[in-house]
């Protein structure tokens, strides 16, 4: 699964970082940055949870 963040939509809520700190961080601008764009297994489950929790719907997941 591939993770992307639409930085135009991101509001910097940091839910993704709290849910999946191995996959997301906040950049210097305060917006989400993907640390590991290709995930499987437990990482994919965490990415789905972060996608669901994102209030701006800025996280997109695509099957590889």
């Amino acid at each position: 699964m591939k993770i992307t963040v639409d930085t135009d939509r991101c509001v910097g809520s940091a839910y993704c970082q709290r849910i999946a700190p191995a996959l997301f961080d906040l950049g210097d601008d305060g917006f989400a940055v993907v640390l590991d764009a290709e995930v499987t297994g437990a990482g994919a489950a965490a990415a789905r949870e972060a996608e669901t929790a994102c209030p701006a719907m800025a996280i997109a997941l695509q099957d590889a």
Side-chain angles (χ1 to χ4, degrees):
M1 173 177 298
K2 183 177 180 178
I3 306 169
T4 58
V5 173
D6 182 343
T7 55
D8 291 333
R9 296 185 84 165
C10 181
V11 295
S13 67
Y15 289 146
C16 58
Q17 183 189 30
R18 286 190 293 268
I19 291 167
L23 301 177
F24 299 95
D25 199 359
L26 295 182
D28 292 337
D29 57 2
F31 298 122
V33 175
V34 178
L35 299 175
D36 188 1
E38 298 287 334
V39 295
T40 59
R48 283 189 197 95
E49 186 177 347
E51 176 191 36
T52 301
C54 180
M57 298 185 329
I59 299 171
L61 306 176
Q62 300 170 340
D63 289 326

Short mmCIF file of all heavy atoms in Angstrom, two decimals:
data_model
loop_
_atom_site.label_atom_id
_atom_site.label_comp_id
_atom_site.label_asym_id
_atom_site.label_seq_id
_atom_site.Cartn_x
_atom_site.Cartn_y
_atom_site.Cartn_z
N MET A 1 0.83 -1.16 0.00
CA MET A 1 0.00 0.00 0.00
C MET A 1 0.89 1.24 0.00
O MET A 1 1.89 1.29 0.69
CB MET A 1 -0.89 -0.03 1.24
CG MET A 1 -1.70 1.20 1.45
SD MET A 1 -2.78 1.07 2.89
CE MET A 1 -3.79 -0.29 2.41
N LYS A 2 0.50 2.24 -0.77
CA LYS A 2 1.24 3.49 -0.85
C LYS A 2 0.45 4.60 -0.15
O LYS A 2 -0.75 4.73 -0.34
CB LYS A 2 1.50 3.87 -2.30
CG LYS A 2 2.32 5.12 -2.43
CD LYS A 2 2.64 5.44 -3.86
CE LYS A 2 3.46 6.72 -3.89
NZ LYS A 2 3.85 7.08 -5.23
N ILE A 3 1.17 5.40 0.66
CA ILE A 3 0.56 6.50 1.40
C ILE A 3 0.99 7.82 0.79
O ILE A 3 2.17 8.03 0.51
CB ILE A 3 1.03 6.51 2.87
CG1 ILE A 3 0.80 5.16 3.53
CG2 ILE A 3 0.34 7.63 3.65
CD1 ILE A 3 1.50 5.05 4.88
N THR A 4 0.04 8.73 0.61
CA THR A 4 0.35 10.09 0.19
C THR A 4 -0.44 11.06 1.07
O THR A 4 -1.49 10.71 1.60
CB THR A 4 0.01 10.37 -1.29
OG1 THR A 4 -1.37 10.10 -1.51
CG2 THR A 4 0.87 9.51 -2.20
N VAL A 5 0.10 12.26 1.22
CA VAL A 5 -0.58 13.33 1.96
C VAL A 5 -0.73 14.53 1.03
O VAL A 5 0.24 14.98 0.44
CB VAL A 5 0.21 13.74 3.23
CG1 VAL A 5 -0.41 14.96 3.88
CG2 VAL A 5 0.28 12.59 4.21
N ASP A 6 -1.95 15.01 0.93
CA ASP A 6 -2.22 16.21 0.15
C ASP A 6 -1.93 17.41 1.05
O ASP A 6 -2.73 17.75 1.93
CB ASP A 6 -3.68 16.21 -0.31
CG ASP A 6 -4.04 17.41 -1.18
OD1 ASP A 6 -3.29 18.41 -1.18
OD2 ASP A 6 -5.08 17.35 -1.85
N THR A 7 -0.78 18.03 0.85
CA THR A 7 -0.37 19.13 1.72
C THR A 7 -1.25 20.37 1.56
O THR A 7 -1.26 21.23 2.44
CB THR A 7 1.11 19.51 1.49
OG1 THR A 7 1.30 19.80 0.10
CG2 THR A 7 2.03 18.37 1.92
N ASP A 8 -2.00 20.47 0.47
CA ASP A 8 -2.94 21.57 0.31
C ASP A 8 -4.16 21.40 1.22
O ASP A 8 -4.80 22.38 1.58
CB ASP A 8 -3.40 21.70 -1.14
CG ASP A 8 -2.28 22.17 -2.06
OD1 ASP A 8 -1.36 22.87 -1.57
OD2 ASP A 8 -2.32 21.83 -3.25
N ARG A 9 -4.47 20.15 1.58
CA ARG A 9 -5.62 19.88 2.44
C ARG A 9 -5.24 19.75 3.91
O ARG A 9 -6.05 19.99 4.79
CB ARG A 9 -6.31 18.59 2.00
CG ARG A 9 -6.89 18.67 0.61
CD ARG A 9 -7.65 17.43 0.31
NE ARG A 9 -8.97 17.62 0.88
CZ ARG A 9 -10.01 16.88 0.59
NH1 ARG A 9 -9.88 15.86 -0.21
NH2 ARG A 9 -11.18 17.13 1.12
N CYS A 10 -4.01 19.35 4.19
CA CYS A 10 -3.56 19.09 5.56
C CYS A 10 -3.71 20.35 6.41
O CYS A 10 -3.34 21.45 5.99
CB CYS A 10 -2.10 18.63 5.55
SG CYS A 10 -1.46 18.26 7.20
N VAL A 11 -4.24 20.17 7.63
CA VAL A 11 -4.41 21.29 8.55
C VAL A 11 -3.46 21.19 9.74
O VAL A 11 -3.54 21.99 10.66
CB VAL A 11 -5.87 21.41 9.03
CG1 VAL A 11 -6.79 21.75 7.88
CG2 VAL A 11 -6.31 20.15 9.75
N GLY A 12 -2.61 20.18 9.76
CA GLY A 12 -1.62 20.04 10.83
C GLY A 12 -2.19 19.57 12.15
O GLY A 12 -1.63 19.88 13.21
N SER A 13 -3.25 18.80 12.12
CA SER A 13 -3.87 18.32 13.37
C SER A 13 -3.00 17.31 14.10
O SER A 13 -3.17 17.11 15.30
CB SER A 13 -5.24 17.69 13.08
OG SER A 13 -5.06 16.50 12.32
N ALA A 14 -2.11 16.64 13.39
CA ALA A 14 -1.17 15.65 13.92
C ALA A 14 -1.81 14.36 14.39
O ALA A 14 -1.18 13.56 15.06
CB ALA A 14 -0.30 16.24 15.03
N TYR A 15 -3.08 14.12 14.04
CA TYR A 15 -3.69 12.83 14.39
C TYR A 15 -2.91 11.69 13.77
O TYR A 15 -2.68 10.67 14.41
CB TYR A 15 -5.14 12.76 13.92
CG TYR A 15 -6.11 13.64 14.66
CD1 TYR A 15 -7.18 14.22 14.01
CD2 TYR A 15 -5.95 13.89 16.02
CE1 TYR A 15 -8.08 15.02 14.69
CE2 TYR A 15 -6.84 14.69 16.70
CZ TYR A 15 -7.90 15.26 16.03
OH TYR A 15 -8.79 16.05 16.71
N CYS A 16 -2.48 11.86 12.53
CA CYS A 16 -1.74 10.80 11.85
C CYS A 16 -0.45 10.48 12.60
O CYS A 16 -0.11 9.30 12.76
CB CYS A 16 -1.45 11.19 10.41
SG CYS A 16 -0.53 12.73 10.19
N GLN A 17 0.24 11.49 13.06
CA GLN A 17 1.49 11.27 13.78
C GLN A 17 1.25 10.56 15.11
O GLN A 17 2.03 9.69 15.50
CB GLN A 17 2.19 12.61 14.01
CG GLN A 17 3.54 12.43 14.69
CD GLN A 17 4.14 13.74 15.13
OE1 GLN A 17 3.42 14.69 15.44
NE2 GLN A 17 5.46 13.80 15.13
N ARG A 18 0.20 10.91 15.80
CA ARG A 18 -0.11 10.25 17.07
C ARG A 18 -0.53 8.80 16.86
O ARG A 18 -0.19 7.92 17.66
CB ARG A 18 -1.18 11.02 17.83
CG ARG A 18 -0.64 12.31 18.44
CD ARG A 18 -1.63 12.94 19.39
NE ARG A 18 -2.82 13.43 18.73
CZ ARG A 18 -2.98 14.67 18.27
NH1 ARG A 18 -2.00 15.54 18.38
NH2 ARG A 18 -4.10 15.04 17.69
N ILE A 19 -1.26 8.54 15.79
CA ILE A 19 -1.75 7.18 15.51
C ILE A 19 -0.64 6.30 14.95
O ILE A 19 -0.52 5.13 15.33
CB ILE A 19 -2.94 7.25 14.52
CG1 ILE A 19 -4.15 7.88 15.23
CG2 ILE A 19 -3.27 5.87 13.98
CD1 ILE A 19 -5.26 8.26 14.29
N ALA A 20 0.15 6.83 14.05
CA ALA A 20 1.18 6.04 13.36
C ALA A 20 2.50 6.81 13.28
O ALA A 20 2.91 7.26 12.21
CB ALA A 20 0.69 5.67 11.97
N PRO A 21 3.20 6.96 14.41
CA PRO A 21 4.43 7.75 14.41
C PRO A 21 5.56 7.16 13.55
O PRO A 21 6.47 7.89 13.16
CB PRO A 21 4.83 7.79 15.89
CG PRO A 21 4.14 6.62 16.51
CD PRO A 21 2.88 6.43 15.73
N ALA A 22 5.48 5.89 13.24
CA ALA A 22 6.49 5.30 12.36
C ALA A 22 6.24 5.66 10.89
O ALA A 22 7.14 5.52 10.06
CB ALA A 22 6.51 3.78 12.52
N LEU A 23 5.04 6.14 10.60
CA LEU A 23 4.68 6.44 9.21
C LEU A 23 4.59 7.93 8.92
O LEU A 23 4.78 8.35 7.79
CB LEU A 23 3.32 5.80 8.87
CG LEU A 23 3.22 4.30 9.03
CD1 LEU A 23 1.80 3.84 8.72
CD2 LEU A 23 4.22 3.61 8.13
N PHE A 24 4.27 8.74 9.95
CA PHE A 24 4.03 10.17 9.74
C PHE A 24 4.81 11.01 10.74
O PHE A 24 5.02 10.61 11.88
CB PHE A 24 2.54 10.51 9.92
CG PHE A 24 1.63 9.81 8.97
CD1 PHE A 24 1.00 8.63 9.33
CD2 PHE A 24 1.38 10.33 7.71
CE1 PHE A 24 0.15 7.97 8.45
CE2 PHE A 24 0.52 9.69 6.82
CZ PHE A 24 -0.09 8.50 7.20
N ASP A 25 5.19 12.19 10.29
CA ASP A 25 5.79 13.20 11.17
C ASP A 25 5.23 14.54 10.71
O ASP A 25 4.49 14.60 9.71
CB ASP A 25 7.31 13.18 11.04
CG ASP A 25 8.02 13.86 12.21
OD1 ASP A 25 7.32 14.37 13.13
OD2 ASP A 25 9.24 13.90 12.21
N LEU A 26 5.56 15.59 11.43
CA LEU A 26 5.18 16.93 11.00
C LEU A 26 6.43 17.64 10.52
O LEU A 26 7.47 17.61 11.18
CB LEU A 26 4.54 17.71 12.14
CG LEU A 26 3.22 17.17 12.67
CD1 LEU A 26 2.69 18.09 13.76
CD2 LEU A 26 2.20 17.02 11.56
N GLY A 27 6.31 18.28 9.37
CA GLY A 27 7.43 19.03 8.82
C GLY A 27 7.61 20.36 9.52
O GLY A 27 6.83 20.72 10.41
N ASP A 28 8.59 21.11 9.12
CA ASP A 28 8.86 22.42 9.69
C ASP A 28 7.68 23.38 9.54
O ASP A 28 7.50 24.30 10.33
CB ASP A 28 10.10 23.04 9.06
CG ASP A 28 11.37 22.30 9.43
OD1 ASP A 28 11.39 21.61 10.47
OD2 ASP A 28 12.35 22.39 8.66
N ASP A 29 6.87 23.13 8.51
CA ASP A 29 5.70 23.97 8.27
C ASP A 29 4.48 23.54 9.09
O ASP A 29 3.43 24.16 9.03
CB ASP A 29 5.35 23.98 6.78
CG ASP A 29 5.08 22.59 6.22
OD1 ASP A 29 5.12 21.59 6.97
OD2 ASP A 29 4.86 22.49 5.00
N GLY A 30 4.62 22.44 9.85
CA GLY A 30 3.53 21.97 10.71
C GLY A 30 2.58 21.02 10.03
O GLY A 30 1.59 20.59 10.64
N PHE A 31 2.86 20.66 8.79
CA PHE A 31 1.98 19.75 8.06
C PHE A 31 2.58 18.35 7.99
O PHE A 31 3.79 18.17 8.12
CB PHE A 31 1.71 20.28 6.65
CG PHE A 31 1.00 21.61 6.65
CD1 PHE A 31 1.56 22.71 6.04
CD2 PHE A 31 -0.22 21.77 7.29
CE1 PHE A 31 0.92 23.94 6.04
CE2 PHE A 31 -0.88 22.99 7.31
CZ PHE A 31 -0.30 24.08 6.69
N ALA A 32 1.71 17.38 7.77
CA ALA A 32 2.11 15.97 7.77
C ALA A 32 3.11 15.66 6.66
O ALA A 32 3.00 16.15 5.54
CB ALA A 32 0.89 15.08 7.62
N VAL A 33 4.06 14.80 7.02
CA VAL A 33 5.06 14.28 6.09
C VAL A 33 5.04 12.76 6.23
O VAL A 33 5.03 12.24 7.34
CB VAL A 33 6.47 14.81 6.45
CG1 VAL A 33 7.53 14.18 5.58
CG2 VAL A 33 6.51 16.32 6.36
N VAL A 34 5.02 12.07 5.11
CA VAL A 34 5.05 10.61 5.13
C VAL A 34 6.49 10.15 5.30
O VAL A 34 7.37 10.53 4.53
CB VAL A 34 4.44 10.03 3.83
CG1 VAL A 34 4.51 8.51 3.85
CG2 VAL A 34 3.02 10.50 3.64
N LEU A 35 6.74 9.33 6.30
CA LEU A 35 8.09 8.80 6.56
C LEU A 35 8.35 7.52 5.78
O LEU A 35 9.48 7.25 5.38
CB LEU A 35 8.28 8.54 8.05
CG LEU A 35 8.16 9.76 8.96
CD1 LEU A 35 8.26 9.33 10.41
CD2 LEU A 35 9.23 10.78 8.62
N ASP A 36 7.32 6.69 5.64
CA ASP A 36 7.46 5.42 4.95
C ASP A 36 6.25 5.26 4.04
O ASP A 36 5.17 4.90 4.49
CB ASP A 36 7.55 4.27 5.95
CG ASP A 36 7.88 2.94 5.32
OD1 ASP A 36 8.08 2.88 4.09
OD2 ASP A 36 7.95 1.94 6.06
N ALA A 37 6.41 5.57 2.76
CA ALA A 37 5.29 5.61 1.83
C ALA A 37 4.76 4.24 1.44
O ALA A 37 3.61 4.10 1.06
CB ALA A 37 5.67 6.38 0.57
N GLU A 38 5.58 3.19 1.55
CA GLU A 38 5.17 1.84 1.17
C GLU A 38 5.03 1.00 2.44
O GLU A 38 6.01 0.80 3.16
CB GLU A 38 6.20 1.21 0.24
CG GLU A 38 6.39 1.94 -1.07
CD GLU A 38 5.23 1.76 -2.04
OE1 GLU A 38 4.52 0.74 -1.95
OE2 GLU A 38 5.04 2.66 -2.87
N VAL A 39 3.82 0.55 2.73
CA VAL A 39 3.59 -0.23 3.96
C VAL A 39 2.79 -1.49 3.68
O VAL A 39 2.05 -1.58 2.70
CB VAL A 39 2.86 0.61 5.04
CG1 VAL A 39 3.72 1.75 5.51
CG2 VAL A 39 1.53 1.10 4.54
N THR A 40 2.96 -2.47 4.57
CA THR A 40 2.19 -3.71 4.53
C THR A 40 1.86 -4.11 5.96
O THR A 40 2.39 -3.54 6.91
CB THR A 40 3.00 -4.85 3.87
OG1 THR A 40 4.20 -5.05 4.62
CG2 THR A 40 3.35 -4.54 2.43
N GLY A 41 1.02 -5.09 6.12
CA GLY A 41 0.72 -5.66 7.43
C GLY A 41 0.23 -4.64 8.44
O GLY A 41 -0.70 -3.88 8.19
N ALA A 42 0.89 -4.62 9.61
CA ALA A 42 0.49 -3.73 10.70
C ALA A 42 0.62 -2.27 10.28
O ALA A 42 -0.17 -1.42 10.71
CB ALA A 42 1.32 -4.00 11.94
N GLY A 43 1.61 -1.97 9.46
CA GLY A 43 1.77 -0.60 8.96
C GLY A 43 0.58 -0.16 8.12
O GLY A 43 0.13 0.98 8.22
N ALA A 44 0.05 -1.07 7.32
CA ALA A 44 -1.11 -0.76 6.50
C ALA A 44 -2.34 -0.52 7.38
O ALA A 44 -3.13 0.39 7.10
CB ALA A 44 -1.38 -1.89 5.51
N ALA A 45 -2.48 -1.29 8.44
CA ALA A 45 -3.61 -1.09 9.36
C ALA A 45 -3.51 0.27 10.04
O ALA A 45 -4.50 0.98 10.18
CB ALA A 45 -3.65 -2.21 10.39
N ALA A 46 -2.31 0.65 10.45
CA ALA A 46 -2.11 1.96 11.08
C ALA A 46 -2.36 3.08 10.09
O ALA A 46 -2.94 4.12 10.44
CB ALA A 46 -0.69 2.05 11.65
N ALA A 47 -1.95 2.89 8.85
CA ALA A 47 -2.19 3.90 7.82
C ALA A 47 -3.68 4.08 7.58
O ALA A 47 -4.16 5.21 7.42
CB ALA A 47 -1.49 3.50 6.52
N ARG A 48 -4.44 3.00 7.57
CA ARG A 48 -5.89 3.09 7.40
C ARG A 48 -6.53 3.83 8.56
O ARG A 48 -7.44 4.65 8.37
CB ARG A 48 -6.50 1.69 7.28
CG ARG A 48 -6.32 1.06 5.93
CD ARG A 48 -7.13 -0.23 5.79
NE ARG A 48 -6.64 -0.99 4.69
CZ ARG A 48 -5.74 -1.98 4.78
NH1 ARG A 48 -5.27 -2.33 5.95
NH2 ARG A 48 -5.34 -2.62 3.71
N GLU A 49 -6.07 3.56 9.77
CA GLU A 49 -6.60 4.24 10.94
C GLU A 49 -6.30 5.75 10.86
O GLU A 49 -7.16 6.58 11.15
CB GLU A 49 -6.01 3.66 12.22
CG GLU A 49 -6.62 4.23 13.47
CD GLU A 49 -6.08 3.60 14.75
OE1 GLU A 49 -5.42 2.55 14.69
OE2 GLU A 49 -6.33 4.18 15.81
N ALA A 50 -5.08 6.10 10.45
CA ALA A 50 -4.72 7.51 10.31
C ALA A 50 -5.55 8.18 9.22
O ALA A 50 -5.99 9.32 9.39
CB ALA A 50 -3.23 7.64 10.00
N GLU A 51 -5.77 7.48 8.13
CA GLU A 51 -6.58 8.02 7.03
C GLU A 51 -7.99 8.33 7.53
O GLU A 51 -8.55 9.40 7.26
CB GLU A 51 -6.64 7.03 5.87
CG GLU A 51 -7.54 7.49 4.74
CD GLU A 51 -7.80 6.41 3.72
OE1 GLU A 51 -7.91 5.23 4.09
OE2 GLU A 51 -7.90 6.76 2.54
N THR A 52 -8.56 7.41 8.28
CA THR A 52 -9.91 7.59 8.81
C THR A 52 -9.99 8.73 9.81
O THR A 52 -10.97 9.48 9.84
CB THR A 52 -10.38 6.28 9.48
OG1 THR A 52 -10.35 5.23 8.51
CG2 THR A 52 -11.78 6.40 10.03
N ALA A 53 -8.94 8.91 10.62
CA ALA A 53 -8.95 9.93 11.67
C ALA A 53 -8.63 11.34 11.14
O ALA A 53 -8.92 12.31 11.83
CB ALA A 53 -7.93 9.57 12.74
N CYS A 54 -8.07 11.46 9.98
CA CYS A 54 -7.65 12.76 9.46
C CYS A 54 -8.87 13.67 9.24
O CYS A 54 -9.72 13.38 8.39
CB CYS A 54 -6.89 12.59 8.14
SG CYS A 54 -6.35 14.16 7.43
N PRO A 55 -8.96 14.78 9.98
CA PRO A 55 -10.13 15.66 9.84
C PRO A 55 -10.17 16.38 8.50
O PRO A 55 -11.26 16.79 8.05
CB PRO A 55 -9.97 16.65 10.99
CG PRO A 55 -8.53 16.67 11.30
CD PRO A 55 -8.03 15.29 10.99
N ALA A 56 -9.06 16.54 7.84
CA ALA A 56 -9.00 17.23 6.55
C ALA A 56 -9.10 16.27 5.37
O ALA A 56 -9.11 16.70 4.22
CB ALA A 56 -7.73 18.04 6.44
N MET A 57 -9.14 14.97 5.66
CA MET A 57 -9.15 13.93 4.62
C MET A 57 -7.99 14.14 3.64
O MET A 57 -8.14 14.04 2.44
CB MET A 57 -10.50 13.89 3.91
CG MET A 57 -11.62 13.55 4.86
SD MET A 57 -13.29 13.31 4.22
CE MET A 57 -13.41 14.36 2.83
N ALA A 58 -6.81 14.43 4.21
CA ALA A 58 -5.62 14.72 3.40
C ALA A 58 -4.79 13.48 3.10
O ALA A 58 -3.88 13.54 2.28
CB ALA A 58 -4.75 15.75 4.12
N ILE A 59 -5.08 12.36 3.76
CA ILE A 59 -4.30 11.14 3.57
C ILE A 59 -4.99 10.26 2.54
O ILE A 59 -6.19 10.00 2.64
CB ILE A 59 -4.14 10.38 4.90
CG1 ILE A 59 -3.40 11.25 5.91
CG2 ILE A 59 -3.41 9.04 4.68
CD1 ILE A 59 -3.39 10.69 7.31
N ALA A 60 -4.22 9.79 1.57
CA ALA A 60 -4.74 8.88 0.55
C ALA A 60 -3.93 7.59 0.57
O ALA A 60 -2.71 7.63 0.69
CB ALA A 60 -4.68 9.52 -0.82
N LEU A 61 -4.62 6.48 0.44
CA LEU A 61 -3.98 5.17 0.39
C LEU A 61 -4.30 4.51 -0.93
O LEU A 61 -5.44 4.54 -1.39
CB LEU A 61 -4.49 4.29 1.53
CG LEU A 61 -4.36 4.87 2.94
CD1 LEU A 61 -4.98 3.93 3.95
CD2 LEU A 61 -2.92 5.14 3.28
N GLN A 62 -3.27 3.94 -1.53
CA GLN A 62 -3.46 3.25 -2.81
C GLN A 62 -2.83 1.88 -2.71
O GLN A 62 -1.70 1.74 -2.23
CB GLN A 62 -2.80 4.04 -3.94
CG GLN A 62 -3.35 5.41 -4.12
CD GLN A 62 -2.51 6.24 -5.08
OE1 GLN A 62 -1.34 5.93 -5.32
NE2 GLN A 62 -3.08 7.30 -5.60
N ASP A 63 -3.57 0.87 -3.17
CA ASP A 63 -3.00 -0.47 -3.21
C ASP A 63 -1.86 -0.50 -4.21
O ASP A 63 -1.95 0.06 -5.30
CB ASP A 63 -4.06 -1.50 -3.58
CG ASP A 63 -5.05 -1.72 -2.45
OD1 ASP A 63 -4.65 -1.63 -1.28
OD2 ASP A 63 -6.23 -1.94 -2.75
N ALA A 64 -0.79 -1.15 -3.81
CA ALA A 64 0.40 -1.23 -4.67
C ALA A 64 0.23 -2.29 -5.72
O ALA A 64 -0.51 -3.15 -5.69
CB ALA A 64 1.63 -1.51 -3.84
#
